[in-house]
Amino acid sequence: MTAQLSKKSEAWSARFSEPVSDLVKRYTASVFFDKRMADADIQGSLAHAEMLAHQGIISAQDYADIQRGMAQIQSEIAAGRFEWLLDLEDVHLNIEKRLTELVGDAGKRLHTGRSRNDQVATDIRLYMRSAIDDIAGLLRELRLALLDLAETHADTILPGFTHMQVAQPITFGHHMLAYVEMFTRDAERMADCRKRVNRLPLGAAALAGTTFPIDRERVARTLGFEEVARNSLDAVSDRDFAIEFCAAAALVMTHVSRMSEELVIWMSPRVGFIDIADRFCTGSSIMPQKKNPDVPELARGKTGRVNGHLVSLLTLMKGQPLAYNKDNQEDKEPLFDTVDTVVDTLRIFADMARGITVKPEAMRAAALQGYATATDLADYLVKKGLPFRDAHEAVAHAVRACEQRGCDLADLTLQEMQAFSPLIDADVFQVLTLEGSVAARNHIGGTAPEQVRAAIAFHRSRLG
Ligand code: ARG
């Protein structure tokens, strides 16, 4: 048996007659991914030790020793000098073992009245809470960048599409605000998820609670948890909060992905609505003319892995009996990768949103094609007294005639238009302009520049 194996076997040494094989050791260990929770693990242990001392379960001297040892461990980890051992399985046993090396018996007393089951559940929640706070900050940055873009282009007109066919003129500011709405809902979802993340499992011990006179509320206060998990079995086995987080994250990525799809289309030379700053694009190794929108494409692609993580976690949980099972160790990699993917993506997008150059002439030219103001003409006829269905029919005839002649509605003379409806007058031309079309949609949620500016002000005041 190696020295390292004997170190691990101390955790449950007496019960076992032979060490696990190297393969099993690697298979069951989590230290190489859960060490990223070291900070949370130390915070949780310190709060637990403080409570144990306050309750007279360990001595004040033990607590002081534990504090001293943990401070040293923190600095070793920060300096990259901490030796993580596979033999010690996970972040919890690695830190506890080192603590005992540094401070002796006080280190061995730390685990009184707790289990790794409630410890790990606490660590993940602490880790998730700070990840959610980071993501909330990044969602805010992204929205501020999109609001600036919306403001600059509150009057810029482009065609709005349904079925990818030109539908009606809209303002670019309005289009950006659609994404601001999505990312606002994402922020709301993250804040809601945080409430259920922020509950303390510690004190549940292995599954049934502990025989020691612990004060869970004290630990909750120390760690900033809003509530104490009320059932010990649920406390050690619940991973709903991780699933909720991944679901919220999958929606963040879905929104980023939809936006990416549009950026890619808009940047295609065939469309040419925007350009994206060079630092977010790459060239081709063979085609010298290429400038590819790699960042949006990759973000669209990475949405798949986050969706996958959500399904992984749901599947991980669906067959587990109460309470803790080792399966739960598999929650971390999907969760961590979700955090990394969302954090990196949002950070890049907040920056990239400020690196988008809008090409108003190309947008305008596209809006002038495809009879984008046909609905405006129909609405005009309705206002002159024609029932909407008849107006729709009259305009359809006009569009068909224009198609045959290869011109736009506004290119017809008044006389030509009157052939489709005698109700048409000289005032029709104002209705057929792009500016007239967008300005007329002047109600809450409409595309009129005035409404776009009001919506920007609304979001800015809420973002503070
Ligand atoms: N590494 C474990 C995990 O991530 C810690 C809890 C271990 N508990 C146990 N009973 N084996 O879930």
Side-chain angles (χ1 to χ4, degrees), residues 30 34 90 92 116-117 120 324 326 328-329 332:
S30 55
D34 67 16
D90 58 24
H92 324 293
R116 277 187 299 159
N117 298 350
V120 69
Y324 177 88
K326 186 76 167 179
N328 281 346
Q329 184 167 288
K332 288 172 204 64

Side-chain angles (χ1 to χ4, degrees), residues 12 28-31 33-34 37 89-92 115-121 124 206 239 324-332:
W12 44 78
T28 55
S30 55
V31 64
F33 52 84
D34 67 16
M37 300 192 307
E89 197 173 298
D90 58 24
V91 62
H92 324 293
S115 151
R116 277 187 299 159
N117 298 350
D118 57 344
Q119 185 180 359
V120 69
I124 310 172
R239 295 295 183 270
Y324 177 88
N325 302 283
K326 186 76 167 179
D327 312 39
N328 281 346
Q329 184 167 288
E330 284 289 306
D331 63 356
K332 288 172 204 64

Side-chain angles (χ1 to χ4, degrees), residues 166-389:
V166 170
Q168 291 168 358
I170 53 169
T171 50
F172 189 72
H174 193 55
H175 202 117
M176 289 299 102
L177 285 173
Y179 287 103
V180 172
E181 291 293 334
M182 293 180 225
F183 294 124
T184 300
R185 290 196 297 276
D186 288 329
E188 288 167 2
R189 261 186 291 272
M190 285 291 170
D192 190 57
C193 169
R194 191 188 193 278
K195 290 184 212 153
R196 282 173 296 281
V197 167
N198 206 19
R199 291 177 186 165
L200 176 79
L202 209 61
L207 78 165
T210 174
T211 58
F212 294 96
I214 57 172
D215 181 349
R216 297 184 66 205
E217 254 138 24
R218 184 178 183 88
V219 179
R221 273 196 304 279
T222 310
L223 292 173
F225 283 105
E226 282 158 64
E227 282 178 47
V228 166
R230 284 183 297 270
N231 179 288
S232 62
L233 298 171
D234 182 47
V236 290
S237 61
D238 170 37
R239 295 295 183 270
D240 291 1
F241 65 92
I243 294 172
E244 281 186 54
F245 170 76
C246 282
L251 276 169
V252 170
M253 290 304 292
T254 298
H255 298 149
V256 167
S257 186
R258 295 187 70 183
M259 186 174 185
S260 296
E261 174 72 5
E262 299 211 285
L263 295 176
V264 170
I265 292 171
W266 291 344
M267 200 180 133
S268 158
R270 279 294 190 97
V271 178
F273 283 2
I274 60 160
D275 197 11
I276 297 178
D278 285 1
R279 64 184 185 281
F280 301 101
C281 302
T282 64
S284 156
S285 59
I286 176 167
M287 297 164 282
Q289 84 284 11
K290 292 288 288 288
K291 177 175 159 185
N292 299 328
D294 288 41
V295 166
E297 287 174 41
L298 211 44
R300 195 173 56 189
K302 283 176 187 287
T303 304
R305 66 200 279 163
V306 173
N307 290 351
H309 295 326
L310 170 61
V311 175
S312 296
L313 291 187
L314 284 166
T315 313
L316 177 71
M317 296 310 295
K318 73 177 276 295
Q320 284 195 52
L322 292 176
Y324 177 88
N325 302 283
K326 186 76 167 179
D327 312 39
N328 281 346
Q329 184 167 288
E330 284 289 306
D331 63 356
K332 288 172 204 64
E333 287 163 295
L335 209 45
F336 295 161
D337 189 69
T338 299
V339 170
D340 290 345
T341 306
V342 171
V343 165
D344 286 352
T345 303
L346 289 176
R347 191 166 283 150
I348 292 177
F349 266 67
D351 191 14
M352 193 175 66
R354 298 188 183 280
I356 292 174
T357 309
V358 170
K359 298 179 176 171
E361 326 70 48
M363 290 182 174
R364 187 177 184 82
L368 286 169
Q369 292 164 3
Y371 314 104
T373 54
T375 318
D376 297 85
L377 181 55
D379 287 354
Y380 168 90
L381 290 172
V382 169
K383 286 170 198 161
K384 299 261 174 174
L386 204 60
F388 182 77
R389 278 292 153 233

